[in-house]
Amino acid sequence: MRCKTCGRSWTFGKALLSSMKVTGKKQCPHCGAEHYSTKRAYHRSGILALTAFFVFMFLIETFQMGLTSALFFAVFLLVIVLFVQPLVIHLADEEVLHKE
């Protein structure tokens, strides 16, 4: 993620922690400016989550996994989604989710 005010990139760790906030302000660690996720970022996050869900369901059904294997695989997919999430987030200066 890149700050719209100062133009500096966030570290992956800061972007990862910030991406876990579903709504609300995301504050730049460098200049302190407040930003919000864009609508496009919300759509991409939803597509990422749905894709992970359908991959999970397809592989569980295809390989007839037991409960323990399915839980480990679900945790594995969750970790992958969490680490890909900061890559799909783009920032805006104003909140666009509640605009009409």
Side-chain angles (χ1 to χ4, degrees), residues 16-32:
L16 182 64
L17 290 174
S18 179
S19 70
M20 289 183 193
K21 295 171 91 177
V22 177
T23 59
K25 302 173 190 170
K26 294 170 178 35
Q27 189 172 13
C28 175
H30 303 291
C31 67

